[in-house]
Amino acid sequence: MGGTRPGTSSFVNRQHHYRHRPKPTASHRCALLQTGTGVIVGIGSAMVRESAAVMLGHYFKRRRQFVEMITMSGEGVGVALFSVILKEGVGKMGWRLGLQAVTGLVSFSFFMGLLYRPASLYHPQRRAILHLKNQRKKVKEKKTHVRTPKPPFLDFTPLKSSSVRMLSISASVAALGIYSPIFFLSLHGFSEGYDMQDLVLLQTFLGLSIALGIVFSGSSINKTLEISFRKVQISRQYVCQGCVTLVSVSLLVLSAVADYRGLCFSAWAYGLGLGGYRYTLKMLAIERIRGKYFSKAWGFIKGAESLPVLFGVPLCAFLNDSSHRYGRAGYYICAASAAISAIILFFVGYPDGRNMKYSTNG
């Protein structure tokens, strides 16, 4: 009796099911793309960026302001470069291979992080620190029965400071609308019918302006000006307020522009203000927050921006789409939030309640 082998029928059934299974629809693919880029990439990039920003404080004490200016300006250069890379990669290789190529480029940062040496090797009193560590190890060996309390996983002690609370409120109010043009600049150009090369050039202008804004604001901090025989020092707070005010004005201009030149001008003004604001906000936090609380407090300040961005970007898009007669009305809300954030910065105090020239962060 001619029969089939025991495993042949199951193998044929699996092959038949694989060939005739329903293909993923466009909505299913879009949901996967949104989940991958919105959730996974968002969490990963936030963890990498903020941990790297805190790590700089362990390597650079005296020159931290200059080093922060160099590292943060690299973000603007990255926006300009990756706009071209994404356009060329995705345009020629397709979405899947193009995004995989970009992922390969980004993964190089992991291997570059392996080259970091311990920060204690660069400390001027390295030998004294090593001696103290050895002494502590000897004491711990003698007192093995004594357990030291572990620090809590989430420490809310920095929130007791009024400076941290006001900086968090100011950052959250600004985040309600200050980041919306990053999502909509190219979309506005696409809706106006501009060529793809023009849109890539617009993103390049945005990245370069962010880098230049960081450099200009970093160069102007703590400079002394002579006005009518009086020496006036440019503080970090005033530079931060000036940058966020520039963002507010550029958003008002962006709500009414209709041609490509106006869009490019708005992108330059917005990028200069945004780059300067992000840099000076961090420098202001370094100045107004005590050194031992800065790493935890900075996490709360940046975390306060998450929910406003989550609700502010869709709100701006909805108002822009439903108010064609009055221009892009969503940017009115964005400009108002940026202006209110600049006003809130007046209420940021110092660590000990008095005017300090520098904090322990350098």
Side-chain angles (χ1 to χ4, degrees):
M1 180 177 179
T4 60
R5 295 182 180 180
T8 304
S9 59
S10 60
F11 176 76
V12 172
N13 291 332
R14 286 198 301 267
Q15 291 294 325
H16 182 270
H17 175 72
Y18 178 79
R19 292 177 181 177
H20 295 83
R21 66 177 181 178
K23 295 182 179 180
T25 60
S27 60
H28 180 66
R29 293 176 180 175
C30 184
L32 291 177
L33 183 62
Q34 291 175 353
T35 303
T37 57
V39 179
I40 300 176
V41 177
I43 294 175
S45 61
M47 295 175 65
V48 170
R49 287 176 58 185
E50 305 314 322
S51 60
V54 172
M55 189 173 61
L56 282 177
H58 298 283
Y59 284 88
F60 303 95
K61 299 291 185 180
R62 299 178 181 177
R63 305 287 294 175
R64 184 172 185 178
Q65 178 176 326
F66 176 76
V67 175
E68 290 281 358
M69 182 180 67
I70 298 299
T71 54
M72 293 187 70
S73 61
E75 298 178 2
V77 177
V79 171
L81 290 178
F82 270 83
S83 300
V84 181
I85 293 174
L86 280 173
K87 188 261 178 182
E88 296 295 332
V90 175
K92 294 182 179 180
M93 294 185 294
W95 276 102
R96 180 178 297 177
L97 295 178
L99 292 178
Q100 288 177 354
V102 173
T103 304
L105 291 175
V106 175
S107 62
F108 277 110
S109 59
F110 170 78
F111 299 100
M112 294 176 65
L114 297 176
L115 303 178
Y116 275 83
R117 301 178 67 186
S120 59
L121 296 177
Y122 302 96
H123 200 279
Q125 298 179 353
R126 179 170 59 91
R127 295 182 179 179
I129 293 175
L130 292 176
H131 177 71
L132 291 176
K133 287 183 178 180
N134 293 329
Q135 294 296 326
R136 289 178 181 177
K137 288 181 180 179
K138 293 179 181 179
V139 172
K140 287 182 180 180
E141 291 177 356
K142 295 180 180 179
K143 299 180 179 180
T144 54
H145 61 283
V146 179
R147 294 184 178 180
T148 57
K150 295 182 179 180
F153 183 74
L154 292 177
D155 189 5
F156 296 96
T157 305
L159 293 179
K160 296 180 180 179
S161 173
S162 61
S163 301
V164 177
R165 293 197 299 267
M166 296 309 298
L167 284 172
S168 300
I169 294 173
S170 176
S172 62
V173 173
L176 186 63
I178 199 173
Y179 298 110
S180 296
I182 296 179
F183 298 91
F184 299 131
L185 268 177
S186 297
L187 184 61
H188 294 332
F190 181 78
S191 61
E192 295 292 336
Y194 298 129
D195 188 59
M196 186 60 65
Q197 297 292 339
D198 296 334
L199 300 181
V200 174
L201 185 62
L202 185 64
Q203 288 294 114
T204 304
F205 287 159
L206 179 61
L208 294 178
S209 60
I210 290 175
L212 290 177
I214 294 173
V215 173
F216 290 158
S217 60
S219 302
S220 60
I221 286 178
N222 295 330
K223 299 296 182 181
T224 303
L225 298 178
E226 292 186 4
I227 302 176
S228 64
F229 302 101
R230 290 184 179 180
K231 293 183 178 180
V232 179
Q233 187 178 15
I234 304 176
S235 66
R236 305 180 184 188
Q237 176 183 336
Y238 295 151
V239 177
C240 185
Q241 289 174 320
C243 291
V244 74
T245 303
L246 178 60
V247 172
S248 179
V249 174
S250 65
L251 289 173
L252 291 177
V253 175
L254 185 60
S255 63
V257 295
D259 57 340
Y260 183 72
R261 289 185 178 181
L263 203 61
C264 291
F265 174 78
S266 301
W268 274 102
Y270 169 74
L272 290 172
L274 179 64
Y277 167 73
R278 293 185 64 253
Y279 172 76
T280 52
L281 179 66
K282 188 173 184 179
M283 293 298 103
L284 183 63
I286 290 175
E287 182 186 36
R288 303 297 175 91
I289 301 174
R290 295 185 182 276
K292 61 180 180 179
Y293 295 133
F294 174 76
S295 59
K296 299 177 182 178
W298 184 245
F300 286 113
I301 293 172
K302 300 303 291 184
E305 296 181 348
S306 57
L307 289 179
V309 172
L310 180 63
F311 295 105
V313 174
L315 178 62
C316 180
F318 173 75
L319 293 177
N320 287 339
D321 294 337
S322 59
S323 60
H324 292 289
R325 181 182 300 179
Y326 306 101
R328 303 182 182 98
Y331 289 132
Y332 298 154
I333 306 297
C334 299
S337 65
I340 294 173
S341 173
I343 297 174
I344 296 176
L345 289 176
F346 281 111
F347 301 96
V348 179
Y350 286 85
D352 53 357
R354 60 184 179 86
N355 192 352
M356 297 173 58
K357 186 176 181 181
Y358 299 103
S359 69
T360 55
N361 290 299

